[in-house]
Amino acid sequence: MQQMIDSSPLRTSARRSRRIVDVIRWTLVLLAVGLTGWAFLQPGGFGVVISEQFGGDERIQAWQSIALAALAVTQIALWFLATTSLSRVLGCLAGADTFPPQAAEHAARAARLMWVALIGALLSQPIGSVLATWTRGEGERLLSLQLSTSHLAALIAVLLMGFMAQALRLAAALWQDHREIV
């Protein structure tokens, strides 16, 4: 007689990881609210700070400040959606003795959203640099592209999430097959 495998360490780890992901999610919400509030309550100060991140300077106008804030909040929203799907994956794993098919679906959705967020992050630098320097004269405008180790780390996370979705699909199928045999 075979002994059942103890899944409690997986469930415990999933619960702990979900709590961390949920803290990240709500930190993203607070960041988005804070950025939006700062952009509307003090557009000049906010505009200079965010403009400098994209190669601009203190010559930024209010519409540019708001556009850059919208760009930043869009990025935050994309990562919020991705981490929400990740939280759901972990919730499925935390509450089950098996591998529910919903976990694989949430993981696949998280991977897709992470791809969108990564592509958005790569595109935000050229878009932001154009927005931040739009009001400059001819020859002073800027179009820049930035690649960093954080983009590489995000790419690795996206690839791992895609792999995790496939592994969870296989685990769910194997578990269903096992249940049908027994």
Side-chain angles (χ1 to χ4, degrees):
M1 185 105 197
Q2 283 187 340
Q3 185 178 10
M4 287 294 289
I5 297 172
D6 181 18
S7 64
S8 61
L10 175 68
R11 289 192 317 269
T12 300
S13 179
R15 275 192 299 276
R16 187 177 314 118
S17 296
R18 186 178 192 193
R19 282 192 294 269
I20 293 168
V21 168
D22 286 344
V23 167
I24 292 168
R25 287 175 55 228
W26 294 111
T27 301
L28 290 170
V29 169
L30 292 174
L31 183 60
V33 169
L35 279 175
T36 303
W38 186 19
F40 281 99
L41 295 175
Q42 191 185 24
F46 172 82
V48 169
V49 170
I50 197 163
S51 175
E52 289 173 352
Q53 300 299 312
F54 293 105
D57 54 29
E58 69 279 348
R59 295 180 281 178
I60 191 167
Q61 294 180 5
W63 72 266
Q64 291 171 288
S65 177
I66 291 169
L68 289 170
L71 184 64
V73 170
T74 299
Q75 277 296 293
I76 293 168
L78 289 171
W79 284 109
F80 177 81
L81 292 172
T83 54
T84 297
S85 288
L86 178 56
S87 178
R88 289 178 179 153
V89 171
L90 295 167
C92 287
L93 296 176
D97 289 330
T98 63
F99 294 99
Q102 303 92 320
E105 294 167 18
H106 291 307
R109 184 169 192 264
R112 286 190 304 273
L113 288 166
M114 289 171 74
W115 272 115
V116 171
L118 176 58
I119 291 167
L122 291 169
L123 293 176
S124 71
Q125 182 63 35
I127 292 169
S129 66
V130 168
L131 285 171
T133 60
W134 188 261
T135 56
R136 290 183 180 175
E138 288 287 324
E140 292 183 28
R141 294 185 188 121
L142 182 65
L143 173 64
S144 66
L145 178 64
Q146 178 183 2
L147 298 173
S148 68
T149 54
S150 61
H151 294 116
L152 178 60
L155 176 61
I156 292 168
V158 169
L159 294 173
L160 286 172
M161 183 56 64
F163 175 80
M164 188 170 126
Q166 294 299 322
L168 287 171
R169 271 193 196 103
L170 177 61
L174 289 172
W175 182 253
Q176 183 62 31
D177 187 52
H178 170 76
R179 287 182 55 210
E180 289 173 3
I181 291 171
V182 174

